[in-house]
Amino acid sequence: MKYEFSDNLNYMKSSAIRNLLKYIQQPGMISFGGGMPNPETFPIDKIMEITNDVLKNYGKSALQYGTTDGLKLLRDELVKFILKDENIKCGPENIFITTGSQQALYALSKIFANPGDKVILEAPTYVGMISSLNANAVDSESIGMDENGMIVENLEEKIKSMIKDGKKPRFIYTIPTFQNPAGYTMPLDRRKHLIEISKKYEIPVIEDNPYGDLRYSGSKVPTLKSLDDDVIYLGTFSKVMAPGLRTGYVIASEDVASKLNLLKQALDLAGDSFSQYIAYEYLKNGIIYEQIPKTIELYKRKRNVMLEALDEHVDNAEWSKPDGGMFLWLRIKKNVDSEKLLEKAIEKKVAYVPGSAFYHKNPELNTMRLNFTYADDDDIKDGIKRLGQVIAEA
Amino acid sequence: MKYEFSDNLNYMKSSAIRNLLKYIQQPGMISFGGGMPNPETFPIDKIMEITNDVLKNYGKSALQYGTTDGLKLLRDELVKFILKDENIKCGPENIFITTGSQQALYALSKIFANPGDKVILEAPTYVGMISSLNANAVDSESIGMDENGMIVENLEEKIKSMIKDGKKPRFIYTIPTFQNPAGYTMPLDRRKHLIEISKKYEIPVIEDNPYGDLRYSGSKVPTLKSLDDDVIYLGTFSKVMAPGLRTGYVIASEDVASKLNLLKQALDLAGDSFSQYIAYEYLKNGIIYEQIPKTIELYKRKRNVMLEALDEHVDNAEWSKPDGGMFLWLRIKKNVDSEKLLEKAIEKKVAYVPGSAFYHKNPELNTMRLNFTYADDDDIKDGIKRLGQVIAEA
């Protein structure tokens, strides 16, 4: 039978990053393309202890359907964790567990924006938000970034012009800390300014904070959510426990949580109960506080290795110097299309994600995202050397 | 801030079953309302062995992001299982892992139907399909059921009239075996007739088969998928392993699988890796073949207890006698609204799901769904006795 499909997926295209996977698996390839945590950071032994404990003490409920809003035990622990970790005050009724942060991005796009509506993004921004918007036929305008993140100074003018066009933005999406893909962090004054504008125009801010705990230099900056309770906050265990357990969370007002609940009943009914119990014990037993410093130590070293290799081997380009997270952003100082350049890089056995993947519209083609947390130290050095040659020959 | 939400959730209402939960937790309540497997069927010890094994042998990948289409090891095992279990021939490229079957229902609704399009359902049908259609603003027409499931004899006329109205159905959704909520099973001749019509009008059939392995009497009937490869088949580990692990699968052509892949990148990126490894070993080590007979033994006994109690205590009603699955369907022989009757039932400490929850439109109000697999045997007897009194007083 020749199936007739709907038009709902017409705006979607397969993620450039996912398409890279086939190259990455070639022998000898050094890849800075992935977005995966380094598996050395996975506390496998601790998780083995926890799983045995969970199955012994909570087996029947850990294997049963859970409630749509998520395990109450986990939400109670998150209330304590998020206060201590990010100075965010909330109750368990404000926490909504999602199947990874990706589900939160999809659900929030759908809850806040009708097809054809517009939102405001940073440019570049996280690919998962772009695919969520495309899946919901939501349009966007973007605010550029500098080394201090979103150029909030340009935000109000943008909002005014959008309102004038009858397209008031439905939300503003930002990753203010160690941004993916750019690695930039927004300082406090810009955060305050962003909130001021959000309140003035009554446009909700969605703060995505997957990397906040992974700081390697500089001082902590308060989360937007800790500055203003109207902010909708996204957290995840993917970078501080294990991404395979697909456990993220939204912190928001009860009316937002109840909309998420309604939609999640259709999306997947409830999250994985077992993984939520694992996350619960991971918090409760304080394993998370042992694990984060180990992860920071590993990633900080790798960041430094990459920054040094870039200084040594790469000319005609500039790049961000992230204080944390997993990525840095490189801009070639010439009119070079990094998507086309990737073919040459693949020949030289080095891979990255072309910057164009991180723009909803109007990509800057001379950019690329480099992940510094996955490859071996020696491979980072070799890979950057190869990349320097590829750029030099461009 | 007063948030402005989109119109996307306007068709959705919170599931009547989920809303029942608060009553079910009252002390002394006997509930036939849930749809949860009996936790006595969870092979906790075996799963403990498996999790230790998985973490020891595959820890780094079991905790890492997986691919969007699902763990290849699991899909390879499913190819063997589904051939042996349901005589369905396919390759791993035809299997797409979903976050429970619920995600498949949501994704298939979105992939096949534009907002305002129509599909064909059985009446009554599974609530999860109703919420998926509502979340995607998809409309429906229904075909009634008798003790042999969907009255396929009425299908062609329905399709013709829908085509005449310019609303050719985008798919036909059926649970042909031990239907939820009705407990009916479609015999072979109707299955063949359904497929014949599907091919004649080129309308895909979605076969949802969560209960197929749970047969307590009668002989196995071939799945629609084994009769016709154009059928899109939904399976799940929820009823034969554990629902908390949220692992379902779609078996379909590669073009359907590639659409699912594209959409799932936005929905949740990938399923839970750990749960997929558990399901993989559960199949590979043959635990599933040990577990199904145990589950059948327990559920068969409970079905018999409920059917005997109904014969003894309930007048002025008729009910299905399911050969398998988890539910039976009761119709009061008077013009009684079972939603209103539920208040009286709750007073008498017995709960069920009003039949209206299982109709997308035009509910039959004098119906209810009874789950027979969850309550203790004595509670089943007492609960049905109470229900008989409630119905008698109606």
Side-chain angles (χ1 to χ4, degrees):
Chain A
M1 190 184 295
K2 176 103 185 64
Y3 300 107
E4 276 181 60
F5 296 106
S6 73
D7 304 321
N8 290 320
L9 271 55
N10 288 2
Y11 296 99
M12 300 194 74
K13 48 179 189 175
S14 194
S15 150
I17 298 174
R18 299 254 136 189
N19 295 339
L20 263 179
L21 282 173
K22 56 179 177 289
Y23 298 115
I24 290 169
Q25 284 156 1
Q26 286 177 9
M29 183 67 63
I30 297 173
S31 175
F32 305 129
M36 298 193 282
N38 194 309
E40 281 183 45
T41 67
F42 300 158
I44 297 178
D45 291 345
K46 296 286 180 184
I47 287 182
M48 200 183 291
E49 279 172 37
I50 288 175
T51 56
N52 286 325
D53 206 53
V54 164
L55 288 169
K56 211 163 70 183
N57 296 317
Y58 308 101
K60 286 187 178 177
S61 49
L63 298 177
Q64 187 59 281
Y65 286 113
T67 56
T68 305
D69 53 357
L71 183 68
K72 177 68 165 39
L73 289 170
L74 172 59
R75 291 184 288 124
D76 285 340
E77 281 302 320
L78 272 169
V79 166
K80 291 183 254 176
F81 172 75
I82 205 70
L83 178 64
K84 185 170 170 179
D85 200 50
E86 296 290 3
N87 195 30
I88 295 171
K89 295 169 192 75
C90 69
E93 69 281 4
N94 301 116
I95 298 184
F96 188 86
I97 305 294
T98 54
T99 305
S101 277
Q102 183 62 44
Q103 184 174 63
L105 297 177
Y106 181 88
L108 290 169
S109 298
K110 179 152 179 140
I111 284 168
F112 280 105
N114 287 312
D117 279 351
K118 282 190 174 182
V119 303
I120 290 182
L121 306 174
E122 295 164 337
T125 191
Y126 174 52
V127 281
M129 184 45 121
I130 294 174
S131 63
S132 293
L133 295 175
N134 287 340
N136 287 301
V138 176
D139 200 358
S140 71
E141 298 275 331
S142 289
I143 304 289
M145 302 183 88
D146 60 22
E147 65 271 29
N148 289 318
M150 185 199 289
I151 303 172
V152 177
E153 292 76 1
N154 296 342
L155 181 61
E156 187 161 11
E157 197 185 350
K158 175 69 81 179
I159 291 172
K160 279 184 185 167
S161 94
M162 289 172 77
I163 291 175
K164 205 171 155 191
D165 293 345
K167 287 285 182 188
K168 181 178 171 183
R170 309 300 297 188
F171 59 74
I172 301 161
Y173 172 71
T174 176
I175 307 166
T177 306
F178 319 136
Q179 205 244 12
N180 178 2
Y184 302 136
T185 295
M186 194 188 286
L188 184 59
D189 56 342
R190 272 199 179 164
R191 291 181 190 227
K192 287 182 175 166
H193 190 185
L194 171 56
I195 287 168
E196 194 186 301
I197 295 171
S198 151
K199 295 190 104 62
K200 179 170 173 187
Y201 292 93
E202 293 205 295
I203 300 167
V205 170
I206 297 174
E207 175 181 33
D208 195 358
N209 191 26
Y211 315 106
D213 286 313
L214 304 178
R215 177 177 281 281
Y216 322 130
S217 52
S219 325
K220 197 167 176 86
V221 187
T223 55
L224 295 165
K225 179 72 178 170
S226 70
L227 298 171
D228 175 22
D229 198 42
D230 283 337
V231 170
I232 297 163
Y233 180 91
L234 272 56
T236 176
F237 287 90
S238 289
K239 312 307 185 287
V240 292
M241 185 174 74
L245 302 178
R246 310 302 301 121
T247 302
Y249 51 94
V250 178
I251 306 181
S253 66
E254 283 183 75
D255 56 343
V256 172
S258 90
K259 292 280 179 187
L260 289 170
N261 194 313
L262 196 56
L263 181 55
K264 190 173 164 74
Q265 288 177 33
L267 289 177
D268 63 4
L269 212 55
D272 192 294
S273 303
F274 194 27
S275 291
Q276 290 180 68
Y277 269 96
I278 294 170
Y280 156 65
E281 292 227 339
Y282 190 76
L283 286 180
K284 183 167 160 282
N285 302 344
I287 317 287
I288 193 166
Y289 298 109
E290 298 167 16
Q291 202 55 36
I292 289 172
K294 291 182 197 166
T295 303
I296 287 175
E297 193 190 338
L298 179 74
Y299 287 2
K300 180 180 181 173
R301 192 187 74 218
K302 288 183 181 294
R303 179 203 59 171
N304 294 345
V305 170
M306 186 174 280
L307 286 174
E308 282 160 26
L310 283 163
D311 278 337
E312 189 172 346
H313 298 298
V314 179
D315 292 317
N316 293 312
E318 55 189 8
W319 49 87
S320 55
K321 279 99 185 161
D323 282 321
M326 295 169 51
F327 306 104
L328 64 78
W329 187 242
L330 185 143
R331 181 178 279 110
I332 302 169
K333 286 182 188 163
K334 287 180 185 168
N335 189 13
V336 171
D337 182 345
S338 75
E339 221 168 302
K340 287 181 187 151
L341 195 67
L342 183 59
E343 289 167 35
K344 302 236 162 82
I346 298 281
E347 280 172 28
K348 284 216 189 311
K349 301 275 185 195
V350 61
Y352 56 83
V353 186
S356 55
F358 305 97
Y359 295 85
H360 197 196
K361 298 183 291 195
N362 310 320
E364 289 184 56
L365 297 177
N366 59 331
T367 58
M368 64 180 70
R369 187 189 77 174
L370 301 178
N371 167 278
F372 55 78
T373 59
Y374 197 84
D376 292 340
D377 292 17
D378 286 344
D379 280 353
I380 294 177
K381 290 177 203 162
D382 286 352
I384 292 296
K385 195 172 171 184
R386 294 178 196 176
L387 187 65
Q389 290 165 357
V390 173
I391 292 173
E393 289 165 16
Chain B
M1 189 184 296
K2 174 106 185 64
Y3 300 107
E4 276 181 60
F5 296 106
S6 73
D7 304 321
N8 290 321
L9 271 54
N10 288 2
Y11 296 99
M12 299 194 75
K13 49 180 188 175
S14 193
S15 150
I17 298 173
R18 299 255 137 188
N19 294 339
L20 263 178
L21 281 174
K22 56 178 178 287
Y23 299 114
I24 290 169
Q25 284 156 1
Q26 287 177 9
M29 184 66 64
I30 296 173
S31 175
F32 304 128
M36 298 194 280
N38 194 309
E40 281 183 46
T41 67
F42 299 159
I44 297 178
D45 291 346
K46 296 286 180 185
I47 287 182
M48 201 182 291
E49 280 174 36
I50 288 175
T51 56
N52 286 327
D53 206 53
V54 164
L55 288 169
K56 212 164 69 184
N57 296 318
Y58 309 100
K60 285 187 179 178
S61 50
L63 298 177
Q64 186 60 280
Y65 287 112
T67 57
T68 305
D69 53 356
L71 182 67
K72 177 69 165 39
L73 289 170
L74 172 59
R75 290 184 289 123
D76 284 340
E77 282 302 319
L78 272 170
V79 166
K80 291 183 254 176
F81 172 76
I82 206 69
L83 178 65
K84 186 171 169 181
D85 200 50
E86 297 290 4
N87 195 32
I88 295 171
K89 295 170 193 72
C90 69
E93 68 282 4
N94 301 116
I95 298 183
F96 188 85
I97 305 293
T98 54
T99 305
S101 276
Q102 183 63 44
Q103 184 174 63
L105 297 178
Y106 181 88
L108 290 169
S109 298
K110 181 154 178 137
I111 285 169
F112 280 105
N114 287 312
D117 279 351
K118 283 190 174 182
V119 302
I120 289 181
L121 307 174
E122 296 164 337
T125 191
Y126 174 53
V127 282
M129 183 45 121
I130 294 174
S131 62
S132 294
L133 295 175
N134 287 339
N136 287 301
V138 176
D139 199 359
S140 71
E141 298 274 330
S142 288
I143 305 288
M145 302 183 88
D146 59 23
E147 66 271 27
N148 289 319
M150 185 199 289
I151 303 172
V152 177
E153 293 76 1
N154 296 341
L155 181 60
E156 186 160 11
E157 198 185 351
K158 174 70 79 179
I159 291 172
K160 280 184 185 167
S161 94
M162 290 172 76
I163 291 175
K164 204 172 157 192
D165 293 345
K167 286 286 180 189
K168 182 179 170 182
R170 310 298 298 189
F171 59 73
I172 301 162
Y173 173 70
T174 176
I175 308 166
T177 306
F178 319 137
Q179 204 245 13
N180 178 3
Y184 302 135
T185 295
M186 194 189 285
L188 183 59
D189 55 343
R190 272 199 178 163
R191 292 182 189 226
K192 288 183 175 165
H193 190 187
L194 171 57
I195 287 167
E196 194 184 298
I197 295 170
S198 151
K199 295 190 106 60
K200 178 170 173 188
Y201 292 92
E202 293 205 296
I203 300 167
V205 169
I206 298 176
E207 175 180 34
D208 195 358
N209 191 27
Y211 315 106
D213 286 313
L214 304 179
R215 176 176 283 280
Y216 321 130
S217 51
S219 324
K220 199 168 176 82
V221 188
T223 54
L224 295 164
K225 179 72 177 170
S226 69
L227 299 171
D228 175 23
D229 197 42
D230 283 338
V231 170
I232 297 165
Y233 180 91
L234 272 57
T236 175
F237 287 90
S238 289
K239 313 304 185 289
V240 291
M241 184 174 76
L245 302 178
R246 311 302 300 122
T247 302
Y249 51 94
V250 178
I251 306 180
S253 66
E254 283 183 76
D255 56 342
V256 173
S258 91
K259 293 280 179 186
L260 288 170
N261 195 313
L262 196 56
L263 181 54
K264 191 173 164 74
Q265 289 177 33
L267 290 178
D268 64 4
L269 212 55
D272 191 293
S273 302
F274 194 26
S275 291
Q276 290 180 69
Y277 270 96
I278 294 171
Y280 157 63
E281 291 227 340
Y282 190 76
L283 286 180
K284 183 168 160 281
N285 302 345
I287 318 288
I288 193 167
Y289 298 108
E290 299 167 16
Q291 204 54 36
I292 288 172
K294 290 182 198 165
T295 303
I296 287 175
E297 194 190 339
L298 180 75
Y299 287 2
K300 179 179 182 174
R301 192 187 75 218
K302 287 183 182 295
R303 179 202 61 171
N304 294 344
V305 169
M306 185 173 281
L307 286 174
E308 282 160 25
L310 283 164
D311 279 336
E312 191 174 346
H313 298 297
V314 179
D315 292 316
N316 293 314
E318 54 189 8
W319 49 87
S320 56
K321 279 97 186 163
D323 282 321
M326 294 169 50
F327 306 105
L328 64 78
W329 187 243
L330 184 144
R331 180 177 280 112
I332 302 169
K333 286 182 188 163
K334 287 179 186 168
N335 188 12
V336 171
D337 181 346
S338 73
E339 221 169 300
K340 288 182 185 151
L341 195 68
L342 184 59
E343 291 169 32
K344 302 234 160 83
I346 299 280
E347 282 172 28
K348 284 216 191 309
K349 301 278 185 193
V350 61
Y352 56 82
V353 186
S356 55
F358 304 97
Y359 294 85
H360 197 196
K361 298 183 291 195
N362 311 318
E364 290 184 56
L365 298 176
N366 60 329
T367 57
M368 63 179 69
R369 187 189 77 175
L370 301 178
N371 167 278
F372 56 77
T373 59
Y374 197 84
D376 292 340
D377 292 17
D378 287 342
D379 280 354
I380 294 177
K381 290 177 201 163
D382 286 352
I384 293 296
K385 195 172 171 183
R386 293 177 198 176
L387 188 66
Q389 289 164 358
V390 173
I391 292 173
E393 287 165 17

